[in-house]
Amino acid sequence: MSTSTLNPSANVPAAAWQRLREVPLLPAVAAAVVLFFVLAALTPHLLTSRDPFAIDLPNALQAPSLAHPFGTDQSGRDLYTRVVYGTRESLLIGLGATGLSMAIAVVLGVVSGLGGKIFDGLINRSLEVLFAFPVLLLAMLFVTVYGPSVTTQIVAVGLGTAPGYARMIRGQVLAVKNSGYVEAAHALGHSRWTVLRQHVFPNAMRPLVAVVTLGIGQSIVWASGLAFLGLGVAPPSPEWGALLDAGRMFITRAWWLEVMPGLAIVAIALAATVLGHHLQKKLEGARS
Amino acid sequence: MTNRQPAYQPSTTDPSRSRLRNGLSVIGRSDLRTNGGKGAGRRAASAAALLGVLALTACGSGSGGSAGAAAGEKVDGGTIRYAHLQEPPCIYGGWVQQAYLSRQVLDSLVSQTEDGSIVPWLAEEWSVSEDQLTWTFKLKEGVKFTDGTPVDAQAVSDNFEYWTGGGNGTVQAYIQEYYESSKAVDASTLEVKLSAPYSPLLSALSQGYFGIQSAAALKERTEQQNCEAPIGSGPFTVGDWKRGESVTFQQNPDYNSAPQNAKHQGPAYVDSVVWSFVQDNTSRFGSLASGESDAIGEVPTVDFETAKPQFQVQQYITPGRPVTLSLNTVEGPFTDTKVRQAFAYSADRKAVVDSAFLGVVPFEPNGTVSQSTPGYNAEIAGEYPFDQAKANALLDEAGWTERNADGIRTKDGQELAIDIVFGLNSIVTTEGATALQNLQEQVKPVGFKVNLLPVTQADLFGGAYSTPDSYDAQLGYWTSPTAGILYINFRQNTAKNPNYANTAFYNNAEIEDLILKANSAPSTEEANTFYAQAQQRLSDEAVAVGLYTQTSTVATSQNLQDVWLEASQGEPVFHDAYFTE
């Protein structure tokens, strides 16, 4: 590894490097954490040489050591390997659920914001009904009816979190709709569709970039919560919530079974949140 | 009065095995007795052993020496707060979890002791005719149900009619095809007529399912009322049941019909038992550790070592069918005997179980009868050791010769995939689920792909997994004080076909014949010879692969004495329990 090839100033224009150096430490660390987990999700075998399912009964419940940095579980499986391999499912659920809830929210929010009194009233009342149920309860109901799997978890968490986003988008759409530049665009004779596409939609969506980033971390926590309650993917899957659930019984004897997957969840949720806040600040700064 | 626990029975075989055969093992005492057993010296010296002895001396057995002062002064009254794993839908019924509850309220005709002998309970004495078809029971006099009606021969006869008329499916599974009629000869003499000799009858009668209820209550109250709050002549009555939380048992102040193997006659020492349902293992054990509970059932295996020095821990290895994988013999890959045998050879089942249960629950190699059952065939326990070479050879012979990219064997393009269904948290504990995960990994190199399908109690009991197309193997147990459990699990025909208890769907006329011969044998010894032969045949056919024994455990705080586990299926008994100061 030679520093000269890695030195960005050699390849990237100086201005860009200057910008990069202005990134504060915290978001940089967060980005590194996210990068690590993305790597774990895409190419887990690069981060560990072990099989996440391989049992080793004589070495069950070993405390963290050099050979097993996160310790081993009740069947002697290497916990670090399981956390790494569990990343894909956990991230998939986080991204999938956020994507789904955003898709639902955009449709509902935009229709509600632009669709006139009847649509707005109808959608708003339904959202209020959904709001009456806590997210976790809605998600649990859904999983109970359709059975636990990655797909149902995505749909459950996605549906559960959609009403919140829909509200937010509706508010944005309403604010943008009544703004001066939209009025100006109308006055200039642009068609409704053009105004919607070029002015309302992009301006209403921009603040959501940050919200989405925050939402991914939150969705991973929801999904892990479901798995912890036994409503997630079934063991021996290394999904993080399932790891927490399986290790719960051993908490007095093998703390690492709870602490290590817990730290992974905390790390990704924190990292996503920090990045989200950073983006939010940037965007707000850009607008003002 | 026989307060004494039957002494440990010396045996020439492995001492730890003997302890298990003995059924009830009070931790500590048995370690002292099985001098020379593995680790006995170390454990005998531990506080756990001493406390185990204390618990026993307190009940007057005199088996453990002089210590006893530490137990403190006995106090009358008080409320036992007991935390249990499972909450069944009803108190009276055909599931062992219901027998645990109904035992507190109902008396049975007889009781079984740890050595398998039968002692009087509501029946003072009994006899059977020369042809073994007519049983005469002489009932204790002056016993009343808690609704005031007498426990007389007519009432007991009404109970027989109620059970066999559909009142209890488990009772039906035992006696339906043998029971013919019953009648009250006089107020205290009951005559039961059978259609054929049935040697397990008395053993069967000792279980909680056969608890005698008030005939008036059965007649006048709804099914629901009798099931939720059965009225019997037992040491407690059913009080308030807060669903999802607890059920309270109130002391029956007039109780005068304890079984002969109880530690005292007369009413319970305590005023009430609050029996709460705490499914979460950590919380349940935590409630005992924090003093919120005085006793807990199903001590989590991970907490066993922690519990032993601090509490009085008792473990009962239940007789009957162990926790076993019944292999579907009529549909899927297990229709081929060779594939079933290969499956049995392909996992180190002992390692799988020992690891998952941290050595607390014994491995049971026999797939049909557990080691604490009278009539257990110990010889077949050595069959199907861990031998993957043999498993591979058998699968090759059976035509599963190809392997796909994942190393799974295939035949005609079909994967050798096995769906294992199990009722998680209802039938199988989390430790059991871990054992299955271990097994799943272990059979992989041989080329089996195991899919684990945990199912809910509602689905399982609702019959969603009762047909041959719904699984390749099912993990389950059936507690029973007799090897006659084979009759329930492997007979071909029941009044209502198919036999839902035959989870392997295995029908073999010759084996059934052996079981029927055993049922009708004139003595228990002869019966057990036939039962042993049937176990051998079933093992040869590999219709069920044994994993571990079902156990019943209880841990009690140091100031609560004489809680015990009865010997028919490990029902906890609180009638003799008292607090000390």
Side-chain angles (χ1 to χ4, degrees):
Chain A
M1 224 194 253
S2 99
T3 39
S4 64
T5 54
L6 271 185
N7 183 356
S9 56
N11 309 325
V12 187
W17 175 234
Q18 193 57 39
R19 272 218 303 276
L20 204 62
R21 284 185 55 168
E22 276 167 14
V23 174
L25 182 66
L26 208 56
V29 172
V33 170
V34 169
L35 196 70
F36 173 83
F37 282 116
V38 168
L39 206 64
L42 297 177
T43 54
H45 52 274
L46 291 184
L47 298 173
T48 171
S49 56
R50 289 195 167 93
D51 174 351
F53 297 104
I55 60 169
D56 180 11
L57 299 182
N59 282 316
L61 295 178
Q62 297 286 316
S65 62
L66 278 180
H68 301 284
F70 285 14
T72 63
D73 72 0
Q74 66 273 24
S75 296
R77 294 175 286 223
D78 180 56
L79 192 58
Y80 167 71
T81 305
R82 286 175 69 71
V83 169
V84 166
Y85 275 85
T87 310
R88 184 177 298 177
E89 255 166 30
S90 296
L91 273 193
L92 185 71
I93 292 169
L95 289 172
T98 311
L100 179 72
S101 70
M102 273 299 160
I104 298 171
V106 164
V107 172
L108 289 182
V110 171
V111 169
S112 167
L114 300 177
K117 267 210 172 115
I118 297 179
F119 275 116
D120 191 27
L122 214 67
I123 292 174
N124 256 327
R125 294 298 89 75
S126 340
L127 288 182
E128 270 157 21
V129 171
L130 283 177
F131 263 122
F133 298 95
V135 177
L136 198 61
L137 194 72
L138 270 183
M140 280 169 73
L141 192 75
F142 189 82
V143 176
T144 313
V145 173
Y146 292 99
S149 75
V150 172
T151 321
T152 48
Q153 258 183 304
I154 289 176
V155 177
V157 176
L159 286 181
T161 47
Y165 295 134
R167 265 283 168 86
M168 218 179 292
I169 292 173
R170 174 180 172 270
Q172 288 292 333
V173 168
L174 285 180
V176 171
K177 192 172 81 172
N178 298 325
S179 66
Y181 57 85
V182 170
E183 263 176 49
H186 277 302
L188 285 171
H190 289 301
S191 74
R192 259 180 88 96
W193 176 242
T194 313
V195 173
L196 174 66
R197 199 162 42 95
Q198 289 196 339
H199 297 287
V200 179
F201 195 73
N203 284 300
M205 290 306 129
R206 192 163 296 144
L208 286 170
V209 176
V211 177
V212 167
T213 326
L214 291 172
I216 292 171
Q218 185 60 47
S219 294
I220 291 177
V221 173
W222 285 128
S224 302
L226 282 178
F228 179 73
L229 292 171
L231 294 171
V233 281
S237 156
E239 199 273 327
W240 294 344
L243 289 183
L244 280 183
D245 186 32
R248 195 162 45 112
M249 216 168 93
F250 299 92
I251 195 159
T252 52
R253 190 156 158 169
W255 54 268
W256 55 93
L257 291 181
E258 293 298 89
V259 169
M260 297 307 184
L263 281 180
I265 295 172
V266 169
I268 186 93
L270 262 183
T273 309
V274 167
L275 278 187
H277 278 303
H278 182 67
L279 275 175
Q280 206 165 24
K281 262 193 225 153
K282 283 265 158 195
L283 289 168
E284 272 167 14
R287 257 202 306 179
S288 59
Chain B
M1 196 46 48
T2 26
N3 284 349
R4 209 160 174 269
Q5 306 268 3
Y8 168 71
Q9 317 213 316
S11 157
T12 49
T13 54
D14 170 32
S16 60
R17 167 58 50 75
S18 310
R19 188 185 68 186
L20 301 175
R21 304 255 334 235
N22 208 12
L24 182 69
S25 123
V26 175
I27 305 302
R29 174 191 68 144
S30 41
D31 285 345
L32 284 175
R33 299 270 190 140
T34 55
N35 206 2
K38 210 170 108 193
R42 179 176 56 78
R43 273 181 287 164
S46 75
L50 288 170
L51 292 168
V53 172
L54 284 186
L56 275 151
T57 49
C59 63
S61 77
S63 66
S66 57
E73 286 296 304
K74 177 182 165 191
V75 284
D76 265 343
T79 295
I80 298 174
R81 295 159 304 164
Y82 171 71
H84 192 80
L85 173 72
Q86 306 262 12
E87 181 175 20
C90 243
I91 285 180
Y92 178 78
W95 186 23
V96 63
Q97 294 295 335
Q98 296 173 308
Y100 290 161
L101 288 160
S102 61
R103 161 81 190 205
Q104 315 307 323
V105 188
L106 308 180
D107 291 329
S108 295
L109 282 178
V110 293
S111 179
Q112 181 158 324
T113 64
E114 286 155 54
D115 61 2
S117 60
I118 303 295
V119 296
W121 195 347
L122 281 178
E124 242 167 4
E125 52 190 65
W126 51 88
S127 59
V128 62
S129 63
E130 195 70 29
D131 60 4
Q132 308 243 9
L133 295 179
T134 309
W135 287 81
T136 311
F137 295 91
K138 194 91 187 142
L139 300 182
K140 235 175 241 175
E141 289 190 42
V143 181
K144 281 196 160 71
F145 292 112
T146 49
D147 63 0
T149 57
V151 181
D152 56 17
Q154 188 55 50
V156 179
S157 167
D158 289 349
N159 272 271
F160 270 90
E161 292 297 323
Y162 166 71
W163 298 328
T164 52
N168 193 308
T170 300
V171 170
Q172 287 184 305
Y174 275 100
I175 65 169
Q176 192 77 31
E177 267 100 282
Y178 288 93
Y179 175 80
E180 207 165 76
S181 67
S182 63
K183 69 165 190 218
V185 177
D186 60 49
S188 63
T189 312
L190 172 78
E191 204 176 83
V192 178
K193 281 212 184 294
L194 305 181
S195 56
Y198 185 52
S199 63
L201 179 68
L202 290 175
S203 278
L205 287 175
S206 68
Q207 303 170 93
Y209 320 112
F210 293 79
I212 305 295
Q213 300 182 56
S214 155
L218 286 181
K219 209 169 292 166
E220 286 152 21
R221 302 199 309 168
T222 63
E223 190 77 12
Q224 187 73 7
Q225 284 173 315
N226 287 320
C227 160
E228 287 184 349
I231 293 178
S233 56
F236 296 96
T237 58
V238 182
D240 193 21
W241 187 354
K242 295 190 198 106
R243 293 274 175 178
E245 204 176 307
S246 65
V247 54
T248 302
F249 294 106
Q250 299 291 351
Q251 183 214 46
N252 167 13
D254 305 319
Y255 188 54
N256 61 353
S257 50
Q260 196 191 74
N261 54 339
K263 298 174 197 295
H264 86 290
Q265 291 292 325
Y269 292 128
V270 294
D271 299 328
S272 58
V273 177
V274 174
W275 182 303
S276 56
F277 306 103
V278 185
Q279 193 175 58
D280 182 70
N281 277 344
T282 316
S283 316
R284 195 170 60 258
F285 185 69
S287 78
L288 180 67
S290 69
E292 212 176 296
S293 296
D294 305 304
I296 60 164
E298 301 278 346
V299 182
T301 53
V302 66
D303 298 312
F304 231 72
E305 287 300 319
T306 324
K308 275 202 248 169
Q310 299 177 50
F311 309 105
Q312 306 171 57
V313 183
Q314 296 175 63
Q315 183 184 36
Y316 175 77
I317 310 294
T318 59
R321 172 200 246 178
V323 186
T324 193
L325 280 166
S326 294
L327 309 185
N328 182 347
T329 57
V330 297
E331 224 170 277
F334 285 144
T335 43
D336 187 334
T337 311
K338 288 201 172 92
V339 179
R340 298 199 297 268
Q341 290 168 334
F343 189 72
Y345 279 120
S346 60
D348 186 352
R349 287 176 284 145
K350 181 164 168 34
V352 156
V353 168
D354 284 351
S355 165
F357 289 91
L358 305 169
V360 170
V361 171
F363 163 55
E364 178 52 76
N366 185 332
T368 52
V369 172
S370 110
Q371 52 202 269
S372 59
T373 320
Y376 173 72
N377 185 343
E379 276 167 36
I380 65 166
E383 292 179 2
Y384 303 110
F386 180 40
D387 189 343
Q388 297 199 327
K390 216 165 203 167
N392 278 318
L394 281 163
L395 288 176
D396 287 339
E397 278 176 45
W400 293 89
T401 44
E402 308 282 315
R403 287 198 188 228
N404 67 14
D406 298 328
I408 308 301
R409 280 178 187 264
T410 58
K411 182 181 176 181
D412 307 328
Q414 282 276 33
E415 268 191 337
L416 185 49
I418 306 297
D419 287 348
I420 299 184
V421 159
F422 59 105
L424 182 61
N425 291 331
S426 52
I427 302 296
V428 177
T429 56
T430 30
E431 294 100 322
T434 300
L436 280 180
Q437 289 174 31
N438 294 347
L439 183 95
Q440 179 185 38
E441 278 301 303
Q442 282 215 328
V443 300
K444 235 185 221 169
V446 177
F448 280 106
K449 177 186 178 181
V450 167
N451 302 314
L452 298 180
L453 306 171
V455 300
T456 63
Q457 180 174 318
D459 280 351
L460 194 67
F461 291 3
Y465 298 92
S466 57
T467 51
D469 58 358
S470 55
Y471 59 84
D472 296 306
Q474 185 177 140
L475 192 64
Y477 66 90
W478 190 315
T479 66
S480 169
T482 152
I485 188 64
L486 292 169
Y487 168 66
I488 290 179
N489 293 149
F490 291 104
R491 80 182 117 150
Q492 303 185 19
N493 301 308
T494 59
K496 279 185 202 145
N497 275 319
N499 176 7
Y500 69 96
N502 185 348
T503 42
F505 310 106
Y506 187 69
N507 288 328
N508 179 315
E510 281 175 44
I511 295 178
E512 187 184 41
D513 196 47
L514 280 172
I515 296 170
L516 291 178
K517 267 188 194 150
N519 281 356
S520 292
S523 73
T524 312
E525 288 72 35
E526 279 168 87
N528 286 344
T529 312
F530 287 121
Y531 285 138
Q533 288 173 15
Q535 288 167 59
Q536 180 67 58
R537 291 292 310 276
L538 289 163
S539 174
D540 294 345
E541 295 289 330
V543 297
V545 175
L547 276 187
Y548 55 96
T549 58
Q550 177 67 9
T551 55
S552 171
T553 56
V554 62
T556 44
S557 67
Q558 297 300 352
N559 68 337
L560 179 64
Q561 314 303 331
D562 281 6
V563 175
W564 54 287
L565 297 169
E566 63 80 50
S568 79
Q569 50 185 357
E571 300 157 7
V573 181
F574 292 107
H575 160 241
D576 294 310
Y578 61 89
F579 286 102
T580 52
E581 256 171 5

